[in-house]
Amino acid sequence: MSASIKGNSPKTEAFWMPFTANRQFKASPRILVAADGMYYTSDDGRPVLDGTAGLWCVNAGHGRRRIAEAVERQLATLDFAPTFQMGHPAAFDFAERLAEIAPGPDGQRLDRIFFTGSGSESVDTALKIALAYQRAIGQGTRTRLIGRERGYHGVGFGGISVGGILNNRRAFPTLTGTDHLRHTHDLARNAFTKGQPEHGAELADDLERLVALHGAETIAACIVEPVAGSTGVLIPPKGYLERLREICTRHGILLIFDEVITGFGRLGAPFATNFFGVTPDLVATAKGLTNGVIPMGAVFASRPIHDALMQGPEGLIELFHGYTYSGHPVASAAGIATLSIYAEEGLLTRAASLSEDWASAVHALHDARHVIDIRTIGLIAGIELRSRDGAPGARAYEVFVDCFERGLLVRVTGDIIALSPPLIIDREQISSAVATLADALDRLA
């Protein structure tokens, strides 16, 4: 891989960086200039093992020539085409390919697909579809949306309103008519669990409390991440999702899974829907949809939801919603190539064959300095650290910087270190990543 040198690193002043302490970063930038397979290259020429699949999105690894060639061909053939009252082959072809692997069991797949440009857009789209569906079936009083504490559903106003991470909500007004279930994190009873924790299924009954408070006739949908990723890898207790599904069904509430992170093989199944055996009514996706190469998202809807909106005069628009880049031809081409790689290399299920080795390796950090919990499932891990007095988040950030300097990219949220490597990782690379992390924890004050 070719790499730049420090003297040729970009000027940083003009780019207002997202979710970044800009002044802190620009005082000591960390710049990536190339990527291939499991590794980035830093601007001083060092290989950096990607322990986060970019931002949970590069599931097939970096530099996939097949995707690049598909993008190049599409750009040369049809760079853009509108999908408002028009169409192009790539979007229809991609939707058909996705329908073949859509979440849910055979005969009940959520195989009606609405394209978006990102995970945030997918969440807002799923919420709007839920509201439109309830209105279409004569349940127009159902306008309330239920999220969960410590949930992350992107940065649109819908997403931050049903989301439950304080810093994502505190700076901006949120929509009225939302409420939140309690989160499922129970450090006292479930610390150091491999897979689903034993305790906490009863927390799903919080939805019954909200039904009693607001009335089922006011609630349109409940949205949760099957595994909450951005808040620090919170894994659902055994029986929790099943109970949530049953309560939603009983009260006519749509269940939405936000699978922006868990979709496309992260847990060892194509979707968390399949992994847990619980089928929602709508699934929001993005990230691994195109291997992170071109921004794109997709909402998977059940046929009953889709068909309920396909009523009335045929000349009327059924859902007044969409984006300029819905079904973008270049993104669709990248997605089709990505699905081919997933299928040919078995990547949608590969995490299942690595999950035990992954869990054993990460849980070996049990006695590392300041570690108070480790959570693993599929190819995801959360390592929670005891916060430093008066400086929450400082310890995990120091580990993040230390690991980067020693050739490993991790992600931090508060004092939780998250790992979610590309699905092509091998056992030697798992050992290397954990060893680097162990060294960083050992140096931690």
Side-chain angles (χ1 to χ4, degrees), residues 129 138 141 177 231 253 265 273 280 321 376 423:
I129 290 173
T141 61
T231 195
I253 299 167
T273 296
H321 176 68
T376 55
L423 305 177

Side-chain angles (χ1 to χ4, degrees), residues 1-2 32-41 50 62-64:
M1 292 179 289
S2 61
L32 304 170
V33 298
D36 184 62
M38 279 296 302
Y39 291 88
Y40 282 109
T41 300
D50 184 1
H62 296 276
R64 301 303 298 242

Side-chain angles (χ1 to χ4, degrees), residues 318-346:
E318 298 92 359
L319 180 68
F320 276 88
H321 176 68
Y323 304 96
T324 299
Y325 302 114
S326 290
H328 192 286
V330 181
S332 296
I336 292 168
T338 297
L339 290 188
S340 294
I341 292 171
Y342 288 160
E344 291 171 15
E345 299 182 14

Side-chain angles (χ1 to χ4, degrees), residues 204-250:
D205 294 338
D206 234 23
L207 185 55
E208 292 281 17
R209 176 181 63 83
L210 296 180
V211 167
L213 176 65
H214 300 296
E217 72 280 2
T218 72
I219 302 174
C222 175
I223 182 170
V224 297
E225 300 158 277
V227 176
S230 295
T231 195
V233 187
L234 305 186
I235 299 166
K238 292 177 180 177
Y240 174 86
L241 293 175
E242 291 87 341
R243 191 176 298 192
L244 199 60
R245 172 70 276 181
E246 188 276 327
I247 295 169
C248 285
T249 300
R250 178 158 20 100

Side-chain angles (χ1 to χ4, degrees), residues 8 32-33 49 65 93 113 136 148 161 211 218 223 230 237 247 259 275 382 416 427 429 439 444:
N8 291 331
L32 304 170
V33 298
L49 181 64
R65 173 49 47 189
D93 291 347
I113 293 131
R148 186 169 60 188
S161 298
V211 167
T218 72
I223 182 170
S230 295
I247 295 169
E259 291 217 44
F275 181 87
I416 300 169
R427 289 170 175 81
Q429 291 161 341
D439 288 344
L444 192 61

Side-chain angles (χ1 to χ4, degrees), residues 392-406:
R395 281 196 168 117
Y397 181 78
E398 290 171 12
V399 171
F400 163 69
V401 173
D402 190 323
C403 284
F404 179 77
E405 291 173 349
R406 286 167 173 77

Side-chain angles (χ1 to χ4, degrees), residues 21-38:
N22 278 249
R23 290 164 295 171
Q24 180 189 56
F25 175 88
K26 291 173 183 180
S28 182
R30 293 171 295 277
I31 305 295
L32 304 170
V33 298
D36 184 62
M38 279 296 302

